């Protein structure tokens, strides 16, 4: 039976690079019903096709390129897409999402998902157009930077409307945090999915489509869509949205520094005295030349900048986000904004995650300060804090995997193992993923988010903005009046287990739908009801109209991803924080003295998740009630189920 | 009174929601390629330019059409008579402004018909970049200004190319 639901393109593509084969298949009904799209369906596919024995950079690893039912159908803010695989950087669950225009284009080209396995004998790229797929020679593109690659693909196919997802030299050389770059300056940055593509000799994916997407009931869908948009237009959020349009995420430099959570000097502290030098006003005033938005988005957080002259002069390009400003800025004690813009742009061109790259450099700078690294080991480079020349050189070295860059291209966890001694103390990661721009010593629930996040130390799977920015009505509505005060207290660990459990569930859906965190994380407007309101009219899947069903699906996806990691050996002992963020009290700034109470929050989280507190393993009943019988069976056989 | 759409590219973010809304209005599907407003994007030169029919006073497209498929509807807006259009593309070649194109699926010409007076793209643009104005002196002045901006943008981009 063909795939019955609307909103989806209805087909997916199976690519075997070893054989050079592409097969168009009908989407699977159960995938949509139980896992919705994007992250959800990817977790089902990867659970079935990869496991403990899968080497991330081998032909056996599987890369899923996903969209969701919301992609390309005018829901704002959508316009996103995602990748999932087993990570070469962390060895566990990997997913990374990106905005831009590729996701919708892939659906107009006829595909909801692409499932890629094998390794091509020579470099190729995948081209999708109107329901057809073709593997094309990419020998001439190999070695090219991402922007040049995209331009060359558009030219050779004589189609300027082609959108792309490509890797750069870093991904080709399997830098463990190689990224996939979407449409020039948007990135699926984290967890090294660009290296997975590189290992498969897959230079990129290009799409151009003129196929229609339908709604099950167009009028009702548009009406539901309008109702949800109205929530976003509420005057309550006018200021938030106004700021996003004016500054994009760069505004976070100021907001986060104010609460003392801005990673500074390799996470030594959370307050940077020169924060004003790296955003947001200076960017808006001196460098910003235009606002941009992803496909169909009404928020428009992206901006274009230009540096007119000087050493870092640059043609117009997509501006650095908060995370990049942090990673190459405060994190390395570098207050030269033009250099940060340059480093961010180089990372996009070379195809590397700016967070892991900046964090690896900051880590090395601290090792230099502590005397663990010296000039004999750095090829003469001086790794003093804020040394711009060194940073510029290191970014190139990392992408080439040369000199000190060779070991830094492995990320901080593995680099620390190589350096030995006390180096591990300065590797700020969880489960192998370098920490993003937050600090749990200034915001308790961030600690739980980092510890439990299925991909490692990063905010995007469950960060709560509710207590950070203070939204009492929403907290009361979601968690009840009695808990509200404690939840709203950013430095109280109380009820944070429930809070983060709920956020993780919600974001699992957001990432499956596939929509942007703006609108759910900030402003916190869309909730489970949104999906229940919109999905039935869009897709025709009536069961999604029931909020209980929506919530259940969100927990199903969250559990499946966790189980994926358990099977690879992840237990409570890995769901922790780096020593510095757990044990060294915040030394300076507004959050001075702060430390997260991780154990208390973890206990509560495991309770809500239905997991054993000692191991973190799920309880059998919990999996059964979510329809994850096959997961229960597998974990049971491995002794990974809670009694 | 004749009316036309005019777009302020300084407000446009390139989100392409106008294309989506147009395709829903005219085809009941989401399919930007079938939209009568097209957002041309060239990231390498930082160019994002939405293109839509200018509703010319002396339409080059109409003049070029060999079958007389382009004619004014009851509301006085130049539209394509799909039954008479043979898909030859003469109008597309004749229009200097990219205002008319061939539908990639149906193969007949499509152009903006102002949605009967309440254009879907105007409502869909969250950034207020698209305006429906009367073809009077004020309207023409707005259009002149907006076109001049596109021209300078293109000029700057070209200069930088050299
Ligand atoms: S909807 Fe408005 S902002 Fe978006 S592309 Fe169209 S004109 Fe530009
Ligand atoms: S399609 Fe072109 S020539 Fe015809 S009225 Fe519109 S802008 Fe003028």
């Amino acid at each position: 039976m063909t795939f019955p639901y609307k909103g989806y393109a209805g087909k997916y593509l199976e690519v075997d690079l070893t054989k050079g084969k592409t097969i168009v298949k009908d989407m699977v009904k159960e995938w949509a019903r139980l896992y919705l799209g994007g992250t959800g369906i990817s977790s089902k596919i990867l659970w079935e096709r990869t496991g403990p024995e899968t080497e991330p950079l081998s032909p056996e690893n599987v890369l899923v390129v996903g969209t969701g039912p919301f992609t390309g159908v005018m829901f704002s803010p959508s316009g996103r897409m995602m990748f999932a695989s087993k990570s070469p950087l962390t060895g566990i669950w990997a997913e990374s999402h990106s905005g831009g225009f590729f996701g919708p284009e892939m659906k107009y080209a006829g595909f909801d998902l692409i499932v890629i396995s094998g390794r091509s004998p020579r470099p190729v790229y995948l081209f999708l157009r109107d329901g057809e797929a073709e593997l094309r020679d990419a020998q001439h593109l190999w070695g090219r930077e991402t922007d040049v690659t995209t331009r060359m693909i558009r030219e050779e196919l004589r189609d300027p409307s082609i959108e792309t997802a490509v890797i750069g030299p870093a991904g080709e050389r399997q830098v463990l945090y190689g990224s996939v770059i979407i449409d020039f300056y948007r990135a699926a940055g984290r967890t090294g999915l660009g290296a997975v593509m590189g290992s498969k000799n897959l230079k990129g994916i290009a799409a151009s489509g003129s196929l229609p997407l339908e709604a099950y009931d167009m009028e009702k869908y548009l009406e539901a869509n309008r109702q949800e948009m109205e929530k976003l237009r509420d005057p309550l959020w006018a200021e938030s949205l106004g700021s996003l349009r004016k500054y994009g995420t760069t505004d976070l430099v100021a907001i986060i520094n104010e609460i003392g959570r801005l990673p500074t000097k390799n996470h030594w502290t959370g307050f940077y005295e020169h924060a004003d030098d790296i955003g947001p006003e200076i960017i808006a005033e001196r460098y910003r030349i235009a606002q941009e938005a992803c496909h169909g988005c009404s928020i428009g957080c992206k901006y274009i900048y230009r540096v007119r002259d000087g050493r870092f002069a640059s043609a117009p390009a997509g501006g650095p986000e908060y995370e990049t400003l942090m990673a190459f800025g405060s994190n390395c004690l570098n207050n030269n904004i033009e250099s940060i813009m340059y480093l961010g742009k180089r990372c996009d061109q070379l195809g590397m995650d700016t967070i892991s790259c900046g964090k690896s450099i900051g880590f090395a700078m601290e090792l230099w300060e502590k005397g663990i690294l010296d000039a004999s080991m750095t090829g003469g480079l001086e790794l003093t804090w804020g040394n711009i020349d060194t940073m510029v050189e290191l970014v190139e070295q990392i992408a080439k995997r040369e000199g000190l860059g060779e070991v830094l291209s492995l990320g901080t966890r593995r680099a620390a193992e190589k350096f030995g001694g006390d180096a591990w103390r300065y590797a700020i990661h969880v489960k192998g993923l370098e920490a993003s721009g937050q600090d749990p010593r200034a915001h308790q629930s961030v600690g739980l988010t980092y510890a439990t996040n299925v991909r490692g130390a990063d905010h995007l799977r469950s960060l709560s903005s509710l207590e950070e920015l203070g939204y009492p009505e929403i907290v009361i509505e979601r968690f009840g009046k009695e808990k509200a005060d404690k939840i709203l207290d950013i430095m109280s660990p109380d009820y944070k287990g429930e809070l983060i459990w709920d956020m993780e569930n919600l974001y699992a859906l957001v990432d499956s739908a596939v929509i942007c965190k703006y609108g759910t994380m900030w402003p916190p407007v869309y909730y489970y009801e949104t999906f229940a309101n919109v999905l039935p009219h869009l897709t025709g899947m009536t069961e999604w109209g029931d909020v209980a069903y929506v919530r259940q699906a969100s927990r199903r996806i969250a559990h499946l991803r966790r189980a994926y990691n358990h099977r690879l050996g992840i237990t409570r002992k890995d769901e922790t924080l780096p020593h510095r963020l757990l044990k060294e009290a915040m030394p300076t700034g507004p959050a001075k003295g702060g430390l997260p109470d991780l154990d208390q929050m973890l206990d509560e989280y495991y309770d809500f998740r239905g997991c054993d507190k000692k191991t973190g393993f799920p309880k059998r009943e919990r999996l059964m009630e979510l329809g994850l019988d096959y997961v229960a069976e597998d974990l049971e056989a491995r002794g990974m189920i809670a009694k | 009174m004749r009316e036309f759409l005019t777009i302020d590219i300084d407000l446009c973010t390139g989100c392409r929601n106008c294309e989506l809304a147009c395709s829903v209005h005219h085809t009941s599907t989401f399919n930007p390629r079938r939209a009568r407003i097209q957002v041309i994007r060239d990231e390498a030169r930082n160019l994002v330019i939405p293109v839509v029919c200018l509703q010319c006073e002396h339409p080059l497209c109409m003049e070029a059409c060999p079958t007389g498929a382009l004619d004014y509807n009851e509301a006085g807006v130049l539209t394509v008579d799909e039954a008479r259009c043979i898909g030859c593309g003469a109008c597309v070649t004749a229009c200097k402004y990219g205002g008319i194109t061939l539908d990639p699926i149906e193969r007949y010409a499509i152009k903006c018909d102002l949605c009967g007076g309440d254009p879907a793209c105007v409502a869909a643009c969250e950034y207020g970049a698209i305006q429906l104005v009367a073809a009077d002196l004020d309207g023409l002045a707005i259009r002149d200004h907006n076109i001049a901006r596109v021209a300078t943008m293109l000029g700057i981009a070209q200069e930088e190319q050299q």
Side-chain angles (χ1 to χ4, degrees):
Chain A
M1 187 188 150
T2 53
F3 186 72
Y5 306 125
K6 305 298 181 190
Y8 296 86
K11 305 264 184 210
Y12 77 100
L13 187 71
E14 182 78 57
V15 181
D16 179 339
L17 288 167
T18 306
K19 297 203 184 101
K21 263 203 175 144
T22 58
I23 309 167
V24 179
K25 293 186 169 171
D26 283 328
M27 276 287 283
V28 180
K29 207 176 147 189
E30 288 300 285
W31 284 355
R33 280 193 58 245
L34 299 174
Y35 306 98
L36 194 56
T39 289
I41 297 180
S42 302
S43 56
K44 168 79 170 152
I45 294 174
L46 290 174
W47 170 270
E48 284 169 359
R49 296 180 51 173
T50 60
E53 61 297 330
T54 313
E55 274 299 322
L57 294 175
S58 75
E60 284 69 48
N61 198 7
V62 173
L63 175 70
V64 183
V65 187
T67 62
F70 282 13
T71 312
V73 297
M74 231 171 136
F75 183 91
S76 173
S78 59
R80 295 182 70 84
M81 51 104 42
M82 54 85 63
F83 296 83
S85 191
K86 186 172 173 184
S87 169
L89 179 65
T90 61
I92 56 170
W93 170 262
E95 68 180 288
S96 194
H97 296 239
S98 172
F101 296 81
F102 180 82
E105 201 65 36
M106 177 173 142
K107 276 179 80 175
Y108 302 136
F111 302 98
D112 292 301
L113 296 162
I114 312 170
V115 184
I116 304 168
S117 60
R119 170 185 290 150
S120 171
R122 67 194 71 79
V124 288
Y125 73 94
L126 177 65
F127 179 47
L128 312 172
R129 183 184 282 168
D130 294 350
E132 292 182 14
E134 180 193 354
L135 285 167
R136 295 178 59 94
D137 178 53
Q139 217 107 243
H140 58 301
L141 301 172
W142 207 250
R144 306 268 182 190
E145 296 184 356
T146 57
D147 47 350
V148 178
T149 304
T150 296
R151 246 177 279 155
M152 286 175 71
I153 291 176
R154 283 183 179 175
E155 262 164 41
E156 82 178 45
L157 293 165
R158 290 185 213 312
D159 182 351
S161 51
I162 281 174
E163 308 291 355
T164 61
V166 301
I167 60 168
E172 292 171 13
R173 295 196 188 98
Q174 302 174 21
V175 169
L176 294 186
Y177 41 84
S179 62
V180 187
I181 297 292
I182 313 295
D183 311 333
F184 292 89
Y185 34 69
R186 289 169 174 93
R190 307 236 69 192
T191 63
L193 297 167
V196 174
M197 270 173 74
S199 75
K200 297 191 171 311
N201 269 328
L202 180 64
K203 180 67 179 171
I205 308 168
S208 170
S210 56
L211 296 180
L213 296 172
E214 291 169 49
Y216 175 74
D217 185 329
M218 185 62 89
E219 245 161 70
K220 286 194 182 141
Y221 166 63
L222 292 178
E223 173 54 24
N225 211 348
R226 200 193 52 76
Q227 289 165 1
E228 296 302 324
M229 267 299 286
E230 274 314 307
K231 296 184 193 164
L232 207 57
R233 286 199 194 100
D234 189 312
L236 189 61
W237 311 116
E239 209 184 309
S240 299
L241 294 179
S243 147
L244 269 177
R245 285 185 178 188
K246 181 165 179 210
Y247 302 111
T249 58
T250 70
D251 201 18
L252 293 171
V253 172
I255 294 170
I256 290 182
N257 199 44
E258 214 166 282
I259 59 169
R261 205 183 78 193
L262 178 70
T264 301
K265 207 181 170 198
N266 193 34
H267 275 273
W268 176 70
T269 185
F271 180 74
Y272 185 40
E273 51 188 7
H274 301 301
D276 287 350
D277 296 349
I278 61 171
E281 295 299 343
I282 189 172
I283 296 176
E285 277 165 24
R286 284 201 210 153
Y287 304 103
R288 186 186 153 109
I289 55 171
Q291 180 191 13
E292 269 206 7
C294 292
H295 191 273
C297 175
S298 65
I299 292 180
C301 75
K302 191 79 200 160
Y303 70 102
I304 305 298
Y305 80 99
R306 181 175 177 192
V307 177
R308 290 191 178 272
D309 34 43
R311 174 176 178 191
F312 298 113
S314 158
E321 305 291 334
Y322 161 72
E323 293 287 342
T324 304
L325 296 166
M326 172 282 305
F328 288 119
S330 56
N331 176 63
C332 294
L333 293 189
N334 171 20
N335 68 338
N336 180 320
I337 181 70
E338 295 185 2
S339 74
I340 300 173
M341 290 172 156
Y342 174 81
L343 292 163
K345 184 172 165 183
R346 284 306 288 151
C347 279
D348 285 352
Q349 291 170 324
L350 296 164
M352 285 196 288
D353 178 25
T354 57
I355 303 176
S356 285
C357 183
K359 286 296 170 79
S360 295
I361 293 175
F363 158 73
M365 286 176 158
E366 184 153 17
L367 296 186
W368 176 273
E369 179 193 272
K370 297 286 184 301
I372 299 173
L373 272 184
D374 59 43
S376 73
M377 304 157 79
T378 65
L381 284 179
E382 287 203 17
L383 271 77
T384 43
W385 291 110
N387 187 327
I388 297 168
D389 296 330
T390 295
M391 293 175 74
V392 167
E393 176 59 25
L394 272 180
V395 164
E396 305 298 324
Q397 280 190 10
I398 291 171
K400 290 201 191 97
R401 298 187 60 179
E402 282 174 11
L404 183 59
E406 168 68 46
V407 58
L408 294 183
S409 75
L410 304 173
T412 58
R413 179 173 66 180
R414 278 187 233 195
E417 283 165 13
K418 298 239 172 204
F419 292 133
D422 256 359
W424 65 272
R425 281 179 175 271
Y426 311 107
I428 312 301
H429 70 87
V430 174
K431 299 171 188 154
L433 185 72
E434 287 71 28
S436 58
Q438 338 292 329
D439 191 318
R441 296 172 297 178
H443 182 173
Q444 287 274 342
S445 73
V446 163
L448 186 59
T449 288
Y450 272 13
T452 55
N453 184 337
V454 279
R455 74 174 182 181
D458 164 285
H459 55 298
L460 286 169
R461 300 282 85 73
S462 61
L463 178 77
S464 160
S465 67
L466 297 181
E467 74 273 31
E468 177 187 347
L469 299 164
Y471 299 122
E473 302 81 22
I474 294 177
V475 171
I476 291 169
E477 208 180 287
R478 293 184 188 178
F479 303 97
K481 221 175 160 47
E482 323 76 67
K483 301 178 186 170
D485 285 347
K486 290 274 171 113
I487 288 184
L488 286 162
D489 178 353
I490 195 166
M491 285 312 287
S492 160
D494 294 352
Y495 307 120
K496 296 297 155 54
E498 180 179 359
L499 175 72
I500 294 309
W501 165 80
D502 184 64
M503 286 294 167
E504 189 184 20
N505 291 337
L506 180 64
Y507 294 175
L509 271 184
V510 165
D511 289 339
S512 300
V514 167
I515 54 175
C516 184
K517 295 284 160 23
Y518 285 127
T520 32
M521 184 190 282
W522 184 48
V525 172
Y526 301 145
Y527 205 45
Y528 302 99
E529 286 73 11
T530 300
F531 299 90
N533 185 16
V534 175
L535 276 170
H537 305 311
L538 173 62
T539 65
M541 294 190 287
T542 44
E543 58 270 50
W544 283 89
D546 174 4
V547 177
Y549 183 93
V550 172
R551 285 178 175 266
Q552 190 196 33
S554 77
R555 295 198 301 272
R556 180 181 304 124
I557 299 162
H559 261 291
L560 181 52
R561 279 187 316 196
R562 284 185 59 81
Y564 182 88
N565 278 348
H566 285 315
R567 206 164 61 167
L568 304 176
I570 297 292
T571 64
R572 177 168 182 152
K573 72 172 183 351
D574 305 288
E575 303 213 293
T576 185
L577 293 167
H579 184 267
R580 172 165 281 170
L581 304 184
L582 191 61
K583 298 275 193 276
E584 296 174 19
M586 184 72 90
T588 64
K592 190 170 175 186
L595 272 181
D597 209 329
L598 183 61
D599 278 332
Q600 179 189 329
M601 294 188 289
L602 257 182
D603 283 347
E604 192 198 345
Y605 168 84
Y606 288 139
D607 261 345
F608 272 89
R609 183 60 72 217
C611 295
D612 174 54
K613 283 186 195 149
K614 248 210 235 102
T615 56
F617 294 148
K619 297 200 175 103
R620 169 168 253 285
E621 322 82 79
R622 202 48 84 88
L623 296 176
M624 301 303 275
E625 81 200 28
L626 297 173
L628 295 173
D629 319 31
Y630 61 97
V631 174
E633 243 170 69
D634 187 299
L635 292 185
E636 184 111 66
R638 296 169 194 268
M640 291 176 170
I641 207 119
K643 291 285 156 295
Chain B
M1 172 68 111
R2 239 165 34 88
E3 288 177 308
F4 49 74
L5 293 172
T6 176
I7 302 167
D8 182 343
I9 55 166
D10 288 321
L11 293 178
C12 172
T13 61
C15 74
R16 299 174 62 182
N17 217 36
C18 47
E19 291 181 353
L20 281 171
C22 180
S23 75
V24 170
H25 184 92
H26 288 100
T27 72
S28 297
T29 64
F30 300 99
N31 191 349
R33 288 298 155 79
R34 296 185 74 190
R36 291 120 194 257
I37 180 167
Q38 288 289 328
V39 183
I40 297 171
R41 294 169 60 249
D42 180 356
E43 299 84 345
R45 296 197 288 163
N46 186 33
L47 287 178
V48 177
I49 303 177
V51 174
V52 69
C53 167
L54 302 174
Q55 315 294 350
C56 302
E57 208 155 322
H58 304 291
L60 301 166
C61 56
M62 182 163 83
E63 225 169 76
C65 179
T67 69
L70 281 149
D71 208 348
Y72 294 94
N73 66 11
E74 318 79 70
V77 181
L78 191 66
T79 47
V80 180
D81 179 348
E82 288 146 22
R84 289 168 80 176
C85 175
I86 54 170
C88 69
C91 54
V92 181
T93 322
C95 172
K96 292 191 242 177
Y97 315 103
I100 190 162
T101 158
L102 292 185
D103 185 297
I105 293 181
E106 304 290 353
R107 308 308 301 176
Y108 50 61
I110 49 171
K111 73 178 276 297
C112 170
D113 61 1
L114 297 178
C115 296
D118 185 12
C121 57
V122 174
C125 181
E126 281 291 318
Y127 304 94
I130 317 175
Q131 247 182 305
L132 178 69
V133 296
D136 55 16
L137 284 178
D138 290 346
L140 287 166
I142 298 174
R143 174 155 89 186
D144 277 356
H145 171 262
N146 286 343
I147 290 175
R149 272 298 292 149
V150 174
T152 20
M153 274 272 228
L154 278 170
I156 291 171
Q158 254 151 21
E159 225 170 75
E160 274 172 6
Q161 283 285 295
Q162 285 153 10

